[in-house]
Coordinates of all heavy atoms in Angstrom, one line a residue:
M1 N 116.3 134.5 81.8 CA 116.3 133.3 82.6 C 116.8 132.2 81.8 O 116.4 132.0 80.6 CB 114.8 133.1 83.1 CG 114.7 131.8 83.8 SD 113.0 131.5 84.4 CE 112.8 132.6 85.7
D2 N 117.7 131.4 82.4 CA 118.2 130.3 81.6 C 117.3 129.0 81.8 O 116.4 129.1 82.7 CB 119.7 129.9 82.0 CG 119.8 129.4 83.4 OD1 118.8 129.2 84.1 OD2 121.0 129.2 83.8
R3 N 117.5 128.0 81.0 CA 116.6 126.8 81.0 C 116.6 126.2 82.4 O 115.5 125.8 82.9 CB 117.1 125.9 80.0 CG 116.2 124.7 79.8 CD 116.7 123.8 78.6 NE 115.8 122.7 78.4 CZ 116.0 121.5 79.0 NH1 117.0 121.2 79.8 NH2 115.1 120.5 78.7
Q4 N 117.7 126.0 83.1 CA 117.7 125.3 84.4 C 117.0 126.1 85.4 O 116.3 125.5 86.3 CB 119.2 125.1 84.8 CG 119.9 124.0 84.0 CD 119.1 122.7 83.9 OE1 118.6 122.2 85.0 NE2 119.0 122.1 82.8
A5 N 117.1 127.4 85.4 CA 116.4 128.3 86.4 C 114.9 128.2 86.1 O 114.0 128.1 87.0 CB 116.8 129.7 86.3
L6 N 114.5 128.1 84.8 CA 113.1 128.0 84.4 C 112.5 126.6 84.9 O 111.4 126.6 85.5 CB 112.9 128.1 82.9 CG 111.5 128.0 82.4 CD1 110.6 129.0 83.0 CD2 111.6 128.2 80.9
I7 N 113.3 125.6 84.8 CA 112.9 124.2 85.2 C 112.7 124.3 86.7 O 111.7 123.7 87.2 CB 113.9 123.2 84.8 CG1 113.8 122.9 83.3 CG2 113.7 121.9 85.5 CD1 114.9 122.1 82.7
R8 N 113.6 124.9 87.5 CA 113.5 125.0 88.9 C 112.2 125.7 89.3 O 111.5 125.3 90.2 CB 114.7 125.6 89.6 CG 115.9 124.7 89.6 CD 117.0 125.3 90.5 NE 117.5 126.5 90.0 CZ 118.5 126.6 89.0 NH1 119.0 125.6 88.5 NH2 118.9 127.8 88.6
A9 N 111.9 126.8 88.6 CA 110.7 127.6 88.9 C 109.5 126.8 88.6 O 108.5 126.9 89.4 CB 110.8 128.9 88.1
L10 N 109.4 126.1 87.5 CA 108.3 125.3 87.1 C 108.1 124.2 88.2 O 106.9 123.9 88.5 CB 108.4 124.7 85.7 CG 108.2 125.7 84.6 CD1 108.7 125.1 83.3 CD2 106.8 126.2 84.5
K11 N 109.1 123.6 88.6 CA 109.0 122.5 89.6 C 108.5 123.1 90.9 O 107.7 122.4 91.6 CB 110.4 121.8 89.8 CG 110.7 120.8 88.8 CD 112.0 120.1 89.1 CE 112.3 119.0 88.1 NZ 113.4 118.2 88.5
Q12 N 108.8 124.3 91.2 CA 108.3 124.9 92.4 C 106.8 125.0 92.3 O 106.1 124.8 93.3 CB 108.9 126.3 92.6 CG 108.7 126.9 93.9 CD 109.4 128.2 94.1 OE1 109.8 128.9 93.1 NE2 109.7 128.6 95.3
Y13 N 106.3 125.4 91.2 CA 104.8 125.5 91.0 C 104.1 124.1 91.0 O 102.9 124.1 91.2 CB 104.5 126.3 89.7 CG 104.5 127.8 89.9 CD1 105.6 128.5 89.9 CD2 103.3 128.4 90.2 CE1 105.6 129.9 90.2 CE2 103.3 129.8 90.4 CZ 104.4 130.5 90.4 OH 104.4 131.8 90.6
S14 N 104.9 123.1 90.7 CA 104.3 121.7 90.7 C 104.5 121.0 91.9 O 104.4 119.7 92.0 CB 104.8 121.0 89.4 OG 106.2 120.7 89.6
G15 N 105.0 121.6 93.0 CA 105.2 121.0 94.2 C 106.5 120.1 94.2 O 106.6 119.1 95.0
G16 N 107.4 120.4 93.4 CA 108.7 119.7 93.3 C 108.7 118.5 92.3 O 109.7 117.8 92.2
A17 N 107.5 118.3 91.7 CA 107.4 117.1 90.8 C 108.1 117.4 89.4 O 108.3 118.6 89.1 CB 105.9 116.8 90.5
G18 N 108.3 116.4 88.7 CA 108.9 116.5 87.3 C 107.8 116.8 86.3 O 108.2 116.9 85.1
V19 N 106.6 116.8 86.7 CA 105.5 117.1 85.8 C 104.6 118.2 86.3 O 104.7 118.5 87.5 CB 104.5 115.8 85.6 CG1 105.3 114.7 84.9 CG2 104.0 115.3 86.9
I20 N 103.9 118.9 85.5 CA 103.1 120.0 85.9 C 101.7 120.0 85.2 O 101.7 119.5 84.0 CB 103.8 121.3 85.5 CG1 103.2 122.5 86.2 CG2 104.0 121.5 84.0 CD1 104.0 123.8 86.1
K21 N 100.7 120.4 85.9 CA 99.3 120.4 85.3 C 99.1 121.8 84.6 O 99.8 122.7 84.9 CB 98.3 120.3 86.4 CG 98.2 118.9 87.0 CD 97.1 118.9 88.0 CE 97.0 117.5 88.7 NZ 95.9 117.6 89.7
A22 N 98.2 121.8 83.7 CA 97.8 123.1 83.0 C 97.5 124.1 84.0 O 97.8 125.3 83.9 CB 96.7 122.8 82.0
S23 N 96.7 123.8 85.1 CA 96.3 124.8 86.1 C 97.5 125.4 86.8 O 97.6 126.6 87.1 CB 95.4 124.2 87.1 OG 95.9 123.1 87.8
Q24 N 98.6 124.5 87.1 CA 99.8 125.0 87.7 C 100.6 125.9 86.8 O 101.1 126.9 87.2 CB 100.6 123.8 88.2 CG 100.0 123.0 89.3 CD 100.6 121.7 89.5 OE1 101.1 121.1 88.6 NE2 100.6 121.2 90.8
F25 N 100.6 125.5 85.5 CA 101.3 126.3 84.5 C 100.6 127.7 84.3 O 101.2 128.7 84.2 CB 101.4 125.6 83.2 CG 102.1 126.2 82.1 CD1 103.4 126.7 82.3 CD2 101.5 126.5 80.9 CE1 104.1 127.3 81.3 CE2 102.2 127.1 79.8 CZ 103.5 127.5 80.0
A26 N 99.3 127.6 84.4 CA 98.5 128.9 84.3 C 98.8 129.8 85.4 O 99.0 131.0 85.2 CB 97.0 128.6 84.3
Q27 N 98.9 129.3 86.6 CA 99.3 130.1 87.8 C 100.7 130.7 87.6 O 101.0 131.8 87.9 CB 99.3 129.2 89.0 CG 99.5 130.0 90.3 CD 99.5 129.1 91.5 OE1 99.6 127.9 91.5 NE2 99.3 129.7 92.7
F28 N 101.6 129.9 87.1 CA 103.0 130.3 86.8 C 103.0 131.5 85.8 O 103.7 132.5 86.0 CB 103.8 129.1 86.2 CG 105.2 129.5 85.8 CD1 106.2 129.6 86.7 CD2 105.5 129.7 84.5 CE1 107.5 129.9 86.4 CE2 106.8 130.0 84.1 CZ 107.8 130.1 85.0
L29 N 102.2 131.4 84.8 CA 102.1 132.4 83.7 C 101.3 133.6 84.2 O 101.4 134.7 83.6 CB 101.6 131.9 82.4 CG 102.5 130.9 81.7 CD1 101.7 130.4 80.4 CD2 103.8 131.5 81.3
G30 N 100.4 133.4 85.1 CA 99.4 134.5 85.5 C 98.3 134.6 84.5 O 97.8 135.7 84.3
V31 N 97.9 133.5 83.9 CA 96.8 133.5 82.9 C 95.8 132.5 83.4 O 96.0 131.7 84.4 CB 97.3 133.1 81.5 CG1 98.3 134.2 81.0 CG2 97.9 131.7 81.5
N32 N 94.6 132.4 82.7 CA 93.6 131.4 83.1 C 94.0 130.0 82.5 O 94.9 129.9 81.6 CB 92.2 131.8 82.6 CG 92.0 131.9 81.1 OD1 92.6 131.1 80.4 ND2 91.3 132.9 80.7
R33 N 93.3 129.0 83.0 CA 93.7 127.6 82.6 C 93.5 127.4 81.1 O 94.2 126.6 80.5 CB 92.9 126.6 83.5 CG 93.4 125.2 83.4 CD 92.7 124.3 84.3 NE 91.3 124.1 84.0 CZ 90.8 123.2 83.1 NH1 91.7 122.5 82.4 NH2 89.5 123.1 82.9
H34 N 92.4 128.0 80.6 CA 92.1 127.8 79.1 C 93.3 128.3 78.3 O 93.7 127.6 77.3 CB 90.8 128.5 78.8 CG 90.5 128.4 77.3 ND1 90.0 127.3 76.8 CD2 90.5 129.3 76.3 CE1 89.8 127.5 75.5 NE2 90.1 128.7 75.2
T35 N 93.8 129.4 78.6 CA 95.0 130.0 77.9 C 96.2 129.1 78.0 O 96.9 128.8 77.1 CB 95.3 131.4 78.4 OG1 94.1 132.2 78.2 CG2 96.5 132.0 77.7
A36 N 96.4 128.6 79.2 CA 97.6 127.7 79.5 C 97.4 126.4 78.7 O 98.4 126.0 78.1 CB 97.7 127.4 81.0
K37 N 96.2 125.9 78.6 CA 96.0 124.6 77.8 C 96.3 124.9 76.3 O 96.8 124.0 75.7 CB 94.5 124.2 78.0 CG 94.3 123.3 79.2 CD 94.9 122.0 79.1 CE 94.0 120.9 78.8 NZ 94.6 119.6 79.0
R38 N 95.9 126.1 75.8 CA 96.2 126.4 74.4 C 97.7 126.4 74.2 O 98.2 126.0 73.2 CB 95.5 127.7 74.0 CG 94.1 127.6 73.6 CD 93.5 128.9 73.1 NE 93.7 129.9 74.1 CZ 94.0 131.2 73.8 NH1 94.3 131.5 72.6 NH2 94.1 132.0 74.8
K39 N 98.4 127.0 75.1 CA 99.9 127.1 75.0 C 100.5 125.7 75.0 O 101.5 125.5 74.4 CB 100.5 128.0 76.0 CG 100.0 129.5 75.8 CD 100.7 130.4 76.8 CE 100.3 131.8 76.6 NZ 100.7 132.4 75.3
L40 N 99.9 124.8 75.8 CA 100.5 123.5 76.0 C 100.1 122.5 74.9 O 100.6 121.4 74.8 CB 100.1 122.9 77.3 CG 100.6 123.6 78.6 CD1 100.0 123.1 79.8 CD2 102.1 123.4 78.6
A41 N 99.1 122.9 74.0 CA 98.6 122.1 72.9 C 99.8 121.6 72.1 O 100.7 122.4 71.7 CB 97.6 122.8 72.1
G42 N 99.8 120.3 71.8 CA 100.9 119.7 71.0 C 101.9 119.0 71.8 O 102.7 118.2 71.3
L43 N 102.0 119.3 73.1 CA 103.0 118.7 73.9 C 102.4 117.3 74.4 O 101.2 117.3 74.7 CB 103.3 119.5 75.2 CG 104.2 120.7 75.0 CD1 104.4 121.3 76.4 CD2 105.5 120.4 74.3
P44 N 103.2 116.3 74.5 CA 102.6 115.0 75.1 C 102.3 115.2 76.5 O 102.9 115.9 77.3 CB 103.8 114.1 74.9 CG 105.0 114.9 74.7 CD 104.6 116.2 74.2
A45 N 101.2 114.6 76.9 CA 100.7 114.7 78.3 C 100.4 113.3 78.8 O 99.6 112.5 78.2 CB 99.4 115.6 78.3
Y46 N 101.0 113.0 80.0 CA 100.7 111.7 80.6 C 99.3 111.8 81.2 O 98.9 112.7 81.9 CB 101.7 111.5 81.7 CG 101.5 110.2 82.6 CD1 101.7 109.0 82.0 CD2 101.1 110.3 83.9 CE1 101.5 107.8 82.7 CE2 100.9 109.2 84.6 CZ 101.1 107.9 84.0 OH 100.9 106.8 84.8
E47 N 98.5 110.7 80.9 CA 97.1 110.7 81.3 C 96.3 111.9 80.9 O 95.3 112.2 81.5 CB 97.0 110.4 82.8 CG 97.5 109.0 83.2 CD 97.3 108.7 84.7 OE1 96.8 109.5 85.4 OE2 97.6 107.5 85.0
G48 N 96.8 112.6 79.9 CA 96.1 113.8 79.4 C 96.2 115.0 80.3 O 95.7 116.1 79.9
I49 N 96.9 115.0 81.4 CA 96.9 116.2 82.3 C 98.3 116.5 82.8 O 98.5 117.7 83.3 CB 95.9 116.0 83.5 CG1 96.2 114.8 84.3 CG2 94.5 116.0 83.0 CD1 95.5 114.7 85.6
Y50 N 99.2 115.6 82.7 CA 100.6 115.9 83.3 C 101.6 116.1 82.2 O 101.8 115.2 81.4 CB 101.0 114.8 84.2 CG 100.1 114.5 85.4 CD1 99.2 113.5 85.4 CD2 100.2 115.4 86.5 CE1 98.4 113.2 86.5 CE2 99.4 115.1 87.6 CZ 98.5 114.1 87.6 OH 97.7 113.9 88.7
Y51 N 102.2 117.3 82.2 CA 103.2 117.6 81.2 C 104.6 117.6 81.8 O 104.7 118.1 82.9 CB 102.9 119.0 80.6 CG 101.6 119.1 80.0 CD1 100.4 119.5 80.7 CD2 101.4 118.9 78.6 CE1 99.2 119.5 80.1 CE2 100.2 119.0 78.0 CZ 99.1 119.3 78.8 OH 97.8 119.4 78.2
L52 N 105.5 117.1 81.1 CA 106.9 117.1 81.6 C 107.4 118.5 81.8 O 107.3 119.3 80.8 CB 107.9 116.3 80.7 CG 107.7 114.8 80.7 CD1 108.7 114.2 79.6 CD2 108.1 114.2 82.1
V53 N 108.0 118.8 82.9 CA 108.5 120.1 83.2 C 109.5 120.5 82.1 O 109.5 121.7 81.7 CB 109.1 120.2 84.6 CG1 109.9 121.5 84.8 CG2 108.0 120.1 85.6
T54 N 110.4 119.6 81.7 CA 111.4 119.9 80.7 C 110.8 120.3 79.4 O 111.2 121.2 78.7 CB 112.4 118.7 80.5 OG1 111.6 117.5 80.3 CG2 113.2 118.5 81.8
D55 N 109.7 119.6 79.0 CA 109.0 120.0 77.7 C 108.4 121.3 77.8 O 108.4 122.1 76.9 CB 107.9 118.9 77.4 CG 108.4 117.6 77.0 OD1 109.6 117.5 76.7 OD2 107.6 116.6 77.0
V56 N 107.8 121.6 79.0 CA 107.1 122.9 79.2 C 108.2 124.0 79.2 O 108.0 125.1 78.6 CB 106.3 123.0 80.5 CG1 105.8 124.3 80.8 CG2 105.2 121.9 80.4
A57 N 109.4 123.8 79.8 CA 110.5 124.7 79.9 C 110.9 125.0 78.4 O 111.2 126.2 78.1 CB 111.6 124.2 80.7
D58 N 111.1 124.0 77.6 CA 111.5 124.2 76.2 C 110.5 125.0 75.5 O 110.9 125.9 74.7 CB 111.7 122.8 75.5 CG 112.9 122.1 76.1 OD1 113.8 122.7 76.7 OD2 113.0 120.9 75.9
L59 N 109.2 124.8 75.7 CA 108.2 125.6 75.1 C 108.3 127.1 75.5 O 108.2 127.9 74.6 CB 106.8 125.0 75.5 CG 105.6 125.7 74.9 CD1 105.4 125.4 73.4 CD2 104.4 125.4 75.7
V60 N 108.5 127.3 76.7 CA 108.6 128.7 77.2 C 109.8 129.4 76.6 O 109.8 130.5 76.2 CB 108.6 128.7 78.8 CG1 108.9 130.1 79.3 CG2 107.2 128.3 79.3
M61 N 110.9 128.6 76.6 CA 112.2 129.2 76.1 C 112.0 129.6 74.6 O 112.5 130.6 74.2 CB 113.3 128.2 76.2 CG 113.7 127.9 77.7 SD 114.3 129.4 78.6 CE 115.9 129.7 77.8
K62 N 111.3 128.7 73.8 CA 111.0 129.0 72.4 C 110.3 130.4 72.3 O 110.5 131.2 71.4 CB 110.2 127.9 71.8 CG 111.0 126.8 71.2 CD 110.1 125.9 70.4 CE 110.6 124.5 70.3 NZ 109.7 123.6 69.6
G63 N 109.3 130.5 73.2 CA 108.5 131.7 73.1 C 109.2 133.0 73.6 O 108.8 134.1 73.3
M64 N 110.4 132.8 74.2 CA 111.1 134.0 74.7 C 112.1 134.5 73.7 O 112.7 135.5 73.9 CB 111.9 133.6 76.0 CG 110.9 133.4 77.2 SD 111.8 132.8 78.6 CE 112.8 134.2 79.1
K65 N 112.3 133.8 72.6 CA 113.3 134.2 71.5 C 112.8 135.3 70.7 O 111.7 135.6 70.5 CB 113.6 133.0 70.7 CG 114.5 132.0 71.4 CD 114.9 130.9 70.5 CE 115.7 130.0 71.3 NZ 116.2 128.9 70.6

């Protein structure tokens, strides 16, 4: 999967928004919210709960190498 396709898929899970919550990311990965929060640790979060889809996509791409 390329980065742009990943961004589109993440946006789909976030209702088309440019940000995604840990619970939505968990659903995307098929894991629980606690696991998703651990994976998102270190990323900047708006109001502590919204992560930029592009940042999350970059994190996922790193993990795929």
